[in-house]
Amino acid sequence: MFPLKDAEMGAFTFFASALPHDVCGSNGLPLTPNSIKILGRFQILKTITHPRLCQYVDISRGKHERLVVVAEHCEQSLEDLLRERKPVRYPSYLAPEVIAQGIFKTTDHVPSEKPLPSGPKSDVWSLGIILFELCVGRKLFQSLDISERLKFLLTLDCVDDNIIVLAEEHGCLDIIKELPENVIDLLKKCLTFHPSKRPTPDELMQDNVFSEVAPLYTPFIKPASLFSSSLRCADLTLPEDISQLCKDINSNYLAERSIEEVYYLWCLAGGDLEKELVNKEIIRSKPPICTLPNFLFEDGESFGQGRDRSSLLDDTTVTLSLCQLRNRLKDVGGEAFYPLLEDDQSNLPHSNSNNELSAAATLPLIIRERDTEYQLNRIILFDRLLKAYPYKKNQIWKEARVDIPPLMRGLTWAALLGVEGAIHAKYDAIDKDTPIPTDRQIEVDIPRCHQYDELLSSPEGHAKFRRVLKAWVVSHPDLVYWQGLDSLCAPFLYLNFNNEALAYACMSAFIPKYLYNFFLKDNSHVIQEYLTVFSQMIAFHDPELSNHLNEIGFIPDLYAIPWFLTMFTHVFPLHKIFHLWDTLLLGNSSFPFCIGVAILQQLRDRLLANGFNECILLFSDLPEIDIERCVRESINLFCWTPKSATYRQHAQPPKPASENSGVRSSTPYFSTECPDTPKTDLSRESIPLNDLKSEVSPRISAEDLIDLCELTVTGHFKTPTKKTKSSKPKLLVVDIRNSEDFIRGHISGSINIPFSTAFTTEGELTQGPYTAMLQSFKGKVIVIVGHVAKHTAEFAAHLVKMKYPRICILDGGINKIKPTGLLTVPSPQI
């Protein structure tokens, strides 16, 4: 959107016609209120941008089918040019075909297939009336009431020259005759009675009047969108007078921000549309007692109350005052509006109230999102970073780890997902019209998908849902539509309602990253492996809860499939999904496991206190989840989880290792920036699903063990040394081989608890020289190492039964470490 400049923001209101309450549509569901239909159709108007058009900003829905529209508003209008004070009377500008249609109402309460006459050619007629009034300097039809005006317009079908008849009717024939011939020709084209003979706007633009006027104006070139193949800087121009520009900017920084941003900040600063309209007496309320009917039938029909005049159309536009917003931002310095992106000293711009901003950054997310000054700084920063995407992609990631401003969430998610290129051309090339077998299932699922949201429940929202989902199905012939894909689409469509191509591109990038092969025709092996790894994650982080759930038979297959298949969009409302995915998109494909464990831990006390049937009932209607706590705990769980512990055979293959595969990434090990690492000789190996299911604790790779032990190798079979910098949690390696094998070579710092004598017949840990050390490491990562996989799995399971958290097994056993030269041999005793 364009900057606000010297324009204002205005609001006007109207009512949509109400539908009967006792009538359902052909699908058996209640009819969609007309206000929601208008809400959905209105959104496209927000995309129409031009320097000589007022910008539509927003529409909101109130009680009793009331709608309030917010748009760019200029105090001076054509009406002022005519020196009159009345509001414009819209019926006078209606085209004859629109008048002839009358008020259109369906009798069967289902959408009509009959096309409405209103359209671009109707607008050409309205333009002709406006031009006529400007030429003659007066308004038409002022001496006639509305019904007479409409009758007169319909009689124009019977005359030869509409322009002459209109001029004679209003006593301005002399003025019309003095007009240039090309202007009269333009008026005749616009006021052609039959729409079939009337030109379209494109055809009208070919008139020589416009060719003569066009050179007087700088042609408008719509800027290239962020995600396009066009060069975004191709048409950038500097103002001729930069000194004057700087002077103008210094006087009013807020005016340089887009109208959309200003309106968003206006709302945060306490702006209330309904209150503004009430103050101007546009909205009038009556005491409830005065609205009661005098007579009421059994079927609900009432009598005795006159029509409420406040529900009639009032096209008055109320100017929204920006004083409160300007006052709220009075301490924000000019540098906050133009942050330096290369400045690494702080991620928050400096201002007179910088201390307050720093304090705000530590507040809960829900408070930060409602702080006007904080959001202003974050919006401006993200706007600058996104305009430099993909060059500033790394800095976008860095700032997204702090938080993502809601206004910029849609574009930021696309940047985090790596969306690039000509997404519109790709989306437009997909056949979304030809019927396919999944059409029926899509039609059934959409009316059940997040329909509490007014935008997604609108007919326009349903149509967009249908196109985006169908585009994904058609463009991925190796995958199929599974129930839940609609829920997965919902966040992207909501954030990019006017940009289906971007919604599709985001969804297409999201699914292979987090749900690779989940939508295969036969996905049972993928789902089963995923749930098995999730079970191991529960045991790794909360062994007590894992033991209880396994004892009562409450396995993840009973509750977690819709969690992961839809990435929690099936179980949480959109506002919670936004906060959850803000963090999810910063993690790798294993982060959803941590979210699942965090949800279970919020319900931990209730789960531990109940049996199987009670747990089933609990999850049939999931209790309220504190999503901010869930995010915070998910990050903590993720930081404690070794990379390879969540290895899946059916995960998306990582990028191939570079030739310098011996060089490890400098990314901190326990980090939300942790990528999926390329496969090496020390990576985890795939094992059969049944073997994976038999193991309670997860396996980790030799590669991860080397990192966790902070070992480095100076050469093959040379003594390993500790890294100088310790940045990872402490870890204990428990070698369960017999003492003779342990002495021949072991990992530095490991302890030896032979498997054959480790546990008593009651399952308790046998007291020995290292049991006290094992107890002292309870709560830290403990890695079980051996040379028999069955023994290491059993040893780990025993520790989990004893409620030891963070137990894992070395994949491949000690044999995987031997070639690295990291095994040490104790010096002989003299």
Side-chain angles (χ1 to χ4, degrees), residues 132-399:
F132 192 101
E133 291 182 340
L134 290 174
C135 290
V136 301
R138 69 186 69 172
K139 284 196 170 183
L140 304 184
F141 314 116
Q142 294 301 295
S143 61
L144 304 176
D145 59 32
I146 292 179
S147 61
E148 292 297 324
R149 297 180 200 177
L150 301 182
K151 289 178 183 178
F152 177 80
L153 287 172
L154 292 178
T155 61
L156 293 177
D157 184 27
C158 305
V159 300
D160 296 328
D161 192 330
N162 291 343
I163 306 302
I164 297 298
V165 172
L166 284 171
E168 289 176 345
E169 177 69 24
H170 293 86
C172 55
L173 185 58
D174 293 341
I175 299 176
I176 290 295
K177 288 182 178 180
E178 293 176 0
L179 292 176
E181 190 65 30
N182 58 355
V183 174
I184 294 178
D185 288 341
L186 177 65
L187 289 174
K188 287 182 177 180
K189 289 178 181 179
C190 292
L191 297 178
T192 301
F193 188 88
H194 289 284
S196 59
K197 299 178 181 179
R198 195 183 308 148
T200 63
D202 284 337
E203 293 168 346
L204 197 65
M205 287 296 295
Q206 306 307 315
D207 192 278
N208 59 4
V209 169
F210 295 107
S211 62
E212 294 172 7
V213 174
L216 302 178
Y217 297 89
T218 303
F220 171 67
I221 301 175
K222 192 170 184 178
S225 61
L226 180 60
F227 301 99
S228 72
S229 57
S230 303
L231 191 63
R232 300 203 300 268
C233 60
D235 298 306
L236 291 181
T237 56
L238 288 175
E240 294 180 4
D241 189 352
I242 295 182
S243 59
Q244 181 61 38
L245 175 67
C246 295
K247 182 178 179 181
D248 294 340
I249 290 176
N250 287 334
S251 62
N252 190 357
Y253 295 110
L254 193 63
E256 296 302 314
R257 304 311 305 171
S258 73
I259 301 171
E260 182 185 30
E261 289 178 22
V262 174
Y263 174 68
Y264 180 78
L265 295 170
W266 180 83
C267 292
L268 288 181
D272 187 326
L273 289 176
E274 189 167 324
K275 184 179 178 181
E276 295 285 340
L277 294 170
V278 168
N279 290 342
K280 297 295 184 179
E281 297 186 349
I282 303 300
I283 296 180
R284 304 181 185 91
S285 60
K286 294 171 65 175
I289 190 68
C290 297
T291 63
L292 293 176
N294 295 337
F295 191 70
L296 189 66
F297 274 164
E298 197 175 49
D299 61 0
E301 191 174 1
S302 60
F303 299 91
Q305 277 290 345
R307 185 174 181 181
D308 188 358
R309 302 292 299 178
S310 64
S311 65
L312 300 180
L313 177 65
D314 185 341
D315 58 2
T316 302
T317 298
V318 174
T319 303
L320 304 180
S321 173
L322 297 178
C323 293
Q324 188 171 345
L325 174 60
R326 295 187 191 280
N327 185 59
R328 183 71 179 85
L329 302 177
K330 64 182 179 181
D331 294 329
V332 178
E335 60 273 19
F337 290 86
Y338 302 94
L340 294 175
L341 300 186
E342 301 300 332
D343 183 13
D344 294 329
Q345 296 179 3
S346 172
N347 54 19
L348 291 174
H350 301 287
S351 72
N352 295 334
S353 56
N354 194 47
N355 292 335
E356 293 181 14
L357 278 180
S358 300
T362 63
L363 294 173
L365 180 61
I366 191 68
I367 296 178
R368 278 179 277 156
E369 288 188 347
R370 295 174 182 174
D371 186 291
T372 309
E373 187 175 356
Y374 182 82
Q375 284 301 307
L376 170 70
N377 282 271
R378 298 298 288 170
I379 288 169
I380 291 173
L381 179 60
F382 271 82
D383 180 54
R384 294 286 302 277
L385 291 173
L386 287 167
K387 285 177 179 175
Y389 176 82
Y391 175 66
K392 287 293 183 181
K393 184 175 182 178
N394 289 340
Q395 200 163 345
I396 293 173
W397 274 74
K398 175 187 172 184
E399 292 299 335

Side-chain angles (χ1 to χ4, degrees), residues 32 36-37 40 451 453-463 497:
T32 303
I36 288 183
K37 293 180 182 178
Q451 294 301 285
D453 180 78
E454 295 174 344
L455 207 55
L456 297 184
S457 66
S458 67
E460 192 68 22
H462 286 196
F497 196 80

